[in-house]
Amino acid sequence: MDIKIVDVAAKAGVSPATVSRVLNNNSNVTANTKEKVMKVIEELGYQPNAAAKNLRSQRSMIIGVIVPEINNSYYAEIIKGIENKAYAQKYKVIICDTGNNKEKELDFISLLMNKTADSMILVTPLLSDEELCHIADMSYLIGVVGRHIDHHNIPCVYTDNVKFSKDVVSHLVQQGHRKIAFLSGYADAVDSYERLEGYLKALREHHIPFHPELIENGDFSEKGGYEAIKRLVEKQADFTAVYAANDEMALGVYKACAELDIRIPDQLAVVGVDNNRISRYIQPKLSTVSQPKIKMGRAIVEKLIEQLEHGEPSQERVLVLDSELMIRESSLAPVPGPSGSSPVTPGS
Amino acid sequence: MDIKIVDVAAKAGVSPATVSRVLNNNSNVTANTKEKVMKVIEELGYQPNAAAKNLRSQRSMIIGVIVPEINNSYYAEIIKGIENKAYAQKYKVIICDTGNNKEKELDFISLLMNKTADSMILVTPLLSDEELCHIADMSYLIGVVGRHIDHHNIPCVYTDNVKFSKDVVSHLVQQGHRKIAFLSGYADAVDSYERLEGYLKALREHHIPFHPELIENGDFSEKGGYEAIKRLVEKQADFTAVYAANDEMALGVYKACAELDIRIPDQLAVVGVDNNRISRYIQPKLSTVSQPKIKMGRAIVEKLIEQLEHGEPSQERVLVLDSELMIRESSLAPVPGPSGSSPVTPGS
DNA sequence: GTGAAAGCGCTAACAC
DNA sequence: GTGTTAGCGCTTTCAC
């Protein structure tokens, strides 16, 4: 079978305790014995059994990460940031893909809380604030990315949805638009709510009346965006610009516009959020909001590990990172048509 | 502290062994006691300690996955397939991103072999066949995706590079092309080698002479493709079509063509491999080879778990999945110019 | 500075 | 069908 610590100890002529001390860089070992032990470890190719180590030390050096969709570039980038930082700190990362299923998310959480993972990162979880606080109250360490939670023991890293949404709408207004539609994500997602809030605040600041019929819900997917914009057009809503809650939905708008012969940005300006890689490659290039995804991943790991290893919450529990409005082609054009007419109605 | 199995046993008036039996669905328990125990488990919210369980049972229910780049849609999709299948079988997945660094890959392997993961999936590893066989010979179970390994105990799932490469070139030939360039990936990658092989075989079958100057190496990245095609153009190579070893490199070709005012597909036909999501969104839509990425992920997990749980290699150690040539716009056009002139030279 | 021994929480043989 | 008990392989007091 595998070689274990007693084997090393025997061959090196020391006790298992000493081998353990050498492995864990415990200072109370003579340079001499240390060298001796290291040599035997090398010779035998000894690798400490992780399961035994975990049981004894009560930690697994594993961080769990729960995301809605692994294969969505937004989450994939955050995961990359998390994984790279974790590796640098000698932690491993377990990935869980919920497929936007709340049951699965809860299942993953209980699956990892049993000492499988020392801590968990929830990326824009489907759970309510209360549910998240409840986990933290069981003195299990969790971190949240993409959302603010009001709990003294939950580190959060996110960008300011309200702020960048106002920036998006202000940009559109500066381009001359006043009839701006908003395509929301899941109705119950925090991001949807806050982006809508930013949209409304910007309208208000620019003294633009709010028209509820210019808001449609989607689900953050291309299909959702496609259907939402179609609904808008079908009910003959009057708008010259669209703020889509993310790039996926903006992609759906592109698709619908292609079918309906609506030209972007001449007849309709479009802005998304996330700066998905695709947004730079489609025609016209999509204006969007760039979030520091990798940095967000790194930051949350940093906070979590600090807390795991020093026992106390890191100085700044909450980190709000800047996002950047990337103005590209899809929102740069003279505002179409005279006020009152609806340039996006097909055939007009 | 956390509540443990003895606590449950005490409260239920049974022994720890019985609780364990109930938890592991061991049949030798009365329906009555089972119910009684379950109730207490429920009441106390008992969750078995994973570390202890792992140590005792010598398995962690964790599968390690090592990929070059998490945030590349090709790998992200494979990971999705792996994760979803693993979850369905009650396994968890640890993700390792090597960033195409062989040292890191080796480090991850030794990090996970210590009973941290019951098995590992290497997705197109940087290691040599010998190195992989060496791991398998230590009776540690590994699986490989995207590559064939000749070892009786290493399950492999991949698509036939040679076959689809021949299909790509044949398609180009059918479109009338005879001067076809090949942009390779890493010179030492198996995929590069095999795709080149398919390219050569197709040329031979169509009695097209092979011109070594039409081959350039890249590194599977957009930048690599960009630089490779630029080198081709600079040395005034004569070609009307390009087969790029993957979509990333094809994207680099698009970029270079935009700069050099070369129109795709009128002046240059382009085909890639991977069917990255972007390939459907760029203009013109990129012809490419679609690989069943999610299916590949599912398949390797299936084989691994079968072997883990039944001890013997699954019936079919090797699974070669079909890929599909997706003919889109980038390869559909009359062949440009008369034979002998080089239509891709800028300004010609 | 080093060794002996206890025990992390669970499962599986072996009794009964 | 259920209980008793002996470890899984490591770390960490506590002696010396």
Side-chain angles (χ1 to χ4, degrees):
Chain A
M1 252 315 278
D2 283 346
I3 143 139
K4 38 205 159 190
I5 205 168
V6 286
D7 303 326
V8 176
K11 185 159 184 190
V14 297
S15 76
T18 300
V19 177
S20 173
R21 283 191 263 260
V22 169
L23 283 166
N24 297 288
N25 284 315
N26 193 315
S27 52
N28 294 341
V29 190
T30 321
N32 196 352
T33 45
K34 181 169 180 176
E35 194 185 341
K36 194 169 57 183
V37 170
M38 287 300 260
K39 201 172 139 226
V40 175
I41 287 175
E42 196 75 24
E43 279 172 29
L44 299 181
Y46 169 70
Q47 296 284 71
N49 179 310
K53 189 166 183 161
N54 294 348
L55 175 58
R56 181 61 229 225
S57 60
Q58 304 280 35
R59 50 218 309 278
S60 61
M61 302 299 281
I62 289 177
I63 294 176
V65 179
I66 304 186
V67 296
E69 291 273 1
I70 293 171
N71 58 334
N72 167 316
S73 80
Y74 176 73
Y75 298 110
E77 298 259 330
I78 291 177
I79 293 173
K80 173 127 185 157
I82 291 174
E83 202 278 344
N84 289 1
K85 184 70 183 175
Y87 173 74
Q89 309 263 56
K90 308 223 174 294
Y91 280 75
K92 286 141 279 170
V93 169
I94 285 188
I95 298 291
C96 308
D97 173 306
T98 68
N100 276 306
N101 177 342
K102 186 170 169 176
E103 296 308 311
K104 216 171 157 184
E105 181 158 333
L106 284 165
D107 194 28
F108 275 128
I109 290 172
S110 65
L111 228 52
L112 298 186
M113 275 180 71
N114 316 320
K115 303 284 177 195
T116 292
D118 295 337
S119 166
M120 257 172 343
I121 297 171
L122 306 176
V123 187
T124 52
L126 300 165
L127 309 184
S128 67
D129 286 24
E130 289 72 30
E131 288 169 306
L132 295 173
C133 289
H134 180 241
I135 297 169
D137 284 338
M138 299 165 76
S139 77
Y140 186 86
L141 181 60
I142 59 175
V144 172
V145 174
R147 177 164 159 188
H148 173 87
I149 305 290
D150 213 4
H151 185 289
H152 70 284
N153 214 22
I154 302 183
C156 306
V157 175
Y158 58 95
T159 52
D160 189 337
N161 278 304
V162 176
K163 181 162 169 288
F164 72 64
S165 295
K166 283 171 69 178
D167 291 346
V168 168
V169 174
S170 294
H171 159 62
L172 255 10
V173 171
Q174 269 159 34
Q175 293 294 305
H177 295 280
R178 294 185 64 84
K179 293 173 291 188
I180 303 169
F182 176 64
L183 266 36
S184 178
Y186 286 122
D188 53 354
V190 192
D191 288 341
S192 299
Y193 179 78
E194 293 180 354
R195 289 172 197 178
L196 173 60
E197 186 183 329
Y199 163 84
L200 295 174
K201 282 195 172 156
L203 289 185
R204 193 164 154 195
E205 279 178 15
H206 292 283
H207 309 293
I208 296 174
F210 158 60
H211 295 292
E213 70 270 19
L214 290 185
I215 297 183
E216 281 286 342
N217 279 339
D219 58 2
F220 289 125
S221 77
E222 180 176 8
K223 183 156 169 283
Y226 172 82
E227 288 167 358
I229 189 89
K230 281 245 170 160
R231 265 179 268 131
L232 232 34
V233 170
E234 261 159 36
K235 70 184 180 192
Q236 312 222 337
D238 181 19
F239 61 104
T240 63
V242 174
Y243 170 30
N246 71 351
D247 286 355
E248 287 294 334
M249 302 207 3
L251 248 29
V253 172
Y254 271 56
K255 188 177 171 202
C257 285
E259 288 179 13
L260 300 170
D261 266 331
I262 298 170
R263 290 189 313 278
I264 302 172
D266 307 325
Q267 291 176 282
L268 182 67
V270 180
V271 181
V273 174
D274 278 354
N275 193 23
N276 273 4
R277 188 160 174 223
I278 275 186
S279 64
R280 287 200 310 281
Y281 289 86
I282 47 174
Q283 278 301 327
K285 295 193 182 96
L286 176 64
S287 294
T288 185
V289 176
S290 172
Q291 317 214 45
K293 298 171 277 246
I294 293 192
K295 199 169 170 187
M296 288 162 83
R298 290 185 167 276
I300 193 73
V301 170
E302 219 161 296
K303 289 188 186 304
L304 251 20
I305 293 183
E306 194 180 324
Q307 192 153 345
L308 278 173
E309 312 210 320
H310 300 108
E312 51 203 37
S314 77
Q315 291 300 29
E316 299 190 6
R317 201 198 97 225
V318 172
L319 176 61
V320 184
L321 289 170
D322 282 335
S323 51
E324 187 189 353
L325 178 58
M326 316 284 288
I327 298 172
R328 294 200 273 239
E329 299 163 355
S330 68
S331 61
L332 289 181
V335 175
S339 170
S341 79
S342 174
V344 304
T345 302
S348 77
Chain B
M1 252 309 281
D2 283 346
I3 144 139
K4 38 203 159 190
I5 206 168
V6 286
D7 303 326
V8 176
K11 185 159 183 190
V14 297
S15 77
T18 301
V19 177
S20 174
R21 283 191 263 260
V22 169
L23 283 167
N24 298 289
N25 284 316
N26 193 315
S27 50
N28 295 341
V29 190
T30 322
N32 195 352
T33 47
K34 181 169 180 176
E35 194 184 340
K36 195 169 56 184
V37 170
M38 287 302 261
K39 202 172 140 224
V40 175
I41 288 174
E42 196 76 24
E43 279 173 28
L44 299 181
Y46 168 70
Q47 296 284 70
N49 180 311
K53 190 167 181 160
N54 294 348
L55 175 58
R56 180 62 231 226
S57 61
Q58 304 280 33
R59 50 217 312 275
S60 61
M61 302 300 282
I62 289 178
I63 294 176
V65 179
I66 304 186
V67 295
E69 291 274 1
I70 294 173
N71 58 334
N72 167 315
S73 81
Y74 177 73
Y75 298 110
E77 298 259 331
I78 291 177
I79 292 172
K80 174 128 184 156
I82 290 173
E83 202 278 345
N84 289 1
K85 183 70 183 176
Y87 173 74
Q89 309 263 58
K90 307 221 175 298
Y91 279 77
K92 287 140 279 172
V93 169
I94 284 187
I95 298 291
C96 307
D97 174 306
T98 69
N100 277 306
N101 177 342
K102 187 169 169 177
E103 296 308 310
K104 216 170 159 185
E105 182 159 332
L106 284 166
D107 194 28
F108 275 128
I109 290 172
S110 65
L111 227 54
L112 298 187
M113 275 180 70
N114 316 321
K115 303 285 175 194
T116 293
D118 295 337
S119 167
M120 255 170 347
I121 297 171
L122 306 176
V123 187
T124 54
L126 300 165
L127 309 184
S128 67
D129 286 23
E130 289 70 31
E131 289 169 304
L132 296 174
C133 288
H134 180 240
I135 297 169
D137 285 337
M138 300 165 76
S139 77
Y140 186 86
L141 180 61
I142 59 174
V144 172
V145 174
R147 177 164 161 189
H148 174 87
I149 305 289
D150 213 4
H151 185 290
H152 69 283
N153 215 22
I154 303 183
C156 306
V157 175
Y158 58 95
T159 53
D160 188 337
N161 278 304
V162 176
K163 181 161 171 287
F164 71 64
S165 295
K166 283 172 69 177
D167 291 346
V168 167
V169 174
S170 294
H171 159 62
L172 255 11
V173 171
Q174 270 160 34
Q175 293 295 305
H177 296 280
R178 293 186 64 83
K179 295 173 289 188
I180 303 169
F182 177 64
L183 268 33
S184 179
Y186 286 122
D188 53 354
V190 193
D191 287 341
S192 299
Y193 178 79
E194 293 181 353
R195 287 171 198 179
L196 173 59
E197 186 183 329
Y199 163 83
L200 294 174
K201 284 196 170 158
L203 289 186
R204 192 165 156 193
E205 280 179 14
H206 291 283
H207 310 293
I208 297 175
F210 158 58
H211 296 291
E213 70 270 19
L214 291 186
I215 297 184
E216 281 287 343
N217 279 339
D219 58 0
F220 288 125
S221 77
E222 178 176 10
K223 184 156 168 283
Y226 173 83
E227 288 166 358
I229 189 86
K230 281 246 171 159
R231 266 179 269 132
L232 232 34
V233 170
E234 263 160 35
K235 70 183 179 193
Q236 311 221 340
D238 182 19
F239 60 103
T240 62
V242 173
Y243 169 31
N246 71 351
D247 287 355
E248 287 295 334
M249 302 208 358
L251 248 28
V253 172
Y254 270 57
K255 189 177 169 204
C257 286
E259 288 178 13
L260 299 170
D261 265 332
I262 298 170
R263 288 189 315 277
I264 303 172
D266 306 324
Q267 292 175 281
L268 183 67
V270 180
V271 182
V273 174
D274 278 355
N275 193 23
N276 274 2
R277 187 161 175 221
I278 273 186
S279 63
R280 288 200 310 281
Y281 289 86
I282 47 174
Q283 277 302 325
K285 295 192 181 99
L286 176 64
S287 294
T288 185
V289 176
S290 172
Q291 317 215 45
K293 298 171 278 243
I294 293 193
K295 200 170 169 186
M296 289 163 83
R298 291 185 167 275
I300 194 71
V301 170
E302 220 162 294
K303 289 188 186 306
L304 252 21
I305 294 183
E306 195 180 323
Q307 191 153 346
L308 279 174
E309 311 209 322
H310 301 106
E312 52 203 36
S314 78
Q315 292 298 29
E316 299 190 6
R317 201 199 97 224
V318 172
L319 177 63
V320 184
L321 289 171
D322 281 334
S323 51
E324 187 189 354
L325 177 59
M326 315 284 290
I327 299 172
R328 293 201 273 240
E329 299 163 357
S330 67
S331 61
L332 289 180
V335 175
S339 170
S341 79
S342 175
V344 304
T345 303
S348 75

